[in-house]
Amino acid sequence: SGSRLQFVSDAPLERITGGSSNVGGEFTADTSSLGSARGRITVPVASIGTALELRDEHLHGPDWLDAARYPTATFEITRVEGATALVPNEVARVTLVGNFTIHGHTHEVRASTQVRLIPGGGEGGRDLIRAQARFTIQLSDYDVSISAPVRLKVSNTITVNVSIRATAT
């Protein structure tokens, strides 16, 4: 709980911010050897909203993200670069490298990430890992086309921010 995805489209006429708190996934990580960390973050596309019902209908519809045909957005971590270990209660800066999939297309992305290990900070006194990651995508890379009348309101470049709270099991 407490995980969230946010996206930002900053076009000439409009800045659109949307997101979802329906974020799930799994991670395996040895806090003393981050290079071996792997994981998968998933978000149901239909859960992504912008606070405007009509815009959300378009976002989820067949001309945009097509939630019925492609129900999940996924980021699969394949590599961690940067800090090699987590020191309790200190921020580690890493780059998460992985495959981002949306609208039936997958491309490698590099997410600038800050990670913190909080001993005993999770449910039942379990260790908690908090991470904040950011990356950008081009909608055109994922076969999402922006029609001419909408280009001034929706940017092809989308910034994706992900906040994760993961508890050790």
Side-chain angles (χ1 to χ4, degrees):
S1 72
S3 297
R4 180 151 178 76
L5 168 126
Q6 177 202 50
F7 76 87
V8 178
S9 164
D10 199 0
L13 293 182
E14 192 168 356
R15 179 181 173 99
I16 300 170
T17 301
S20 174
S21 58
N22 191 355
V23 178
E26 293 182 356
F27 297 95
T28 57
D30 176 348
T31 58
S32 64
S33 178
L34 292 179
S36 64
R38 297 294 179 267
R40 177 184 206 111
I41 301 164
T42 59
V43 177
V45 170
S47 75
I48 300 170
T50 65
L52 289 176
E53 189 175 330
L54 182 58
R55 184 168 51 204
D56 292 349
E57 285 179 29
H58 291 295
L59 178 70
H60 302 147
D63 293 333
W64 286 85
L65 298 183
D66 200 351
R69 191 168 169 201
Y70 307 108
T72 308
T74 305
F75 179 53
E76 185 151 359
I77 300 165
T78 58
R79 191 166 74 247
V80 179
E81 299 174 351
T84 57
L86 293 180
V87 176
N89 299 310
E90 290 187 17
V91 172
R93 297 184 192 292
V94 298
T95 299
L96 298 178
V97 181
N99 296 312
F100 181 67
T101 303
I102 196 163
H103 197 241
H105 296 272
T106 302
H107 293 282
E108 184 177 87
V109 297
R110 300 175 61 80
S112 175
T113 307
Q114 295 182 21
V115 184
R116 183 185 302 256
L117 169 65
I118 304 166
E123 273 185 41
R126 293 181 287 179
D127 290 350
L128 175 71
I129 293 179
R130 287 185 41 221
Q132 295 178 323
R134 171 180 279 203
F135 59 94
T136 59
I137 64 166
Q138 302 295 312
L139 289 176
S140 56
D141 290 344
Y142 296 86
D143 200 26
V144 177
S145 61
I146 303 168
S147 62
V150 182
R151 285 191 188 126
L152 293 175
K153 291 185 170 193
V154 177
S155 176
N156 187 49
T157 301
I158 303 295
T159 301
V160 179
N161 300 299
V162 184
S163 297
I164 299 293
R165 291 174 48 96
T167 306
T169 57

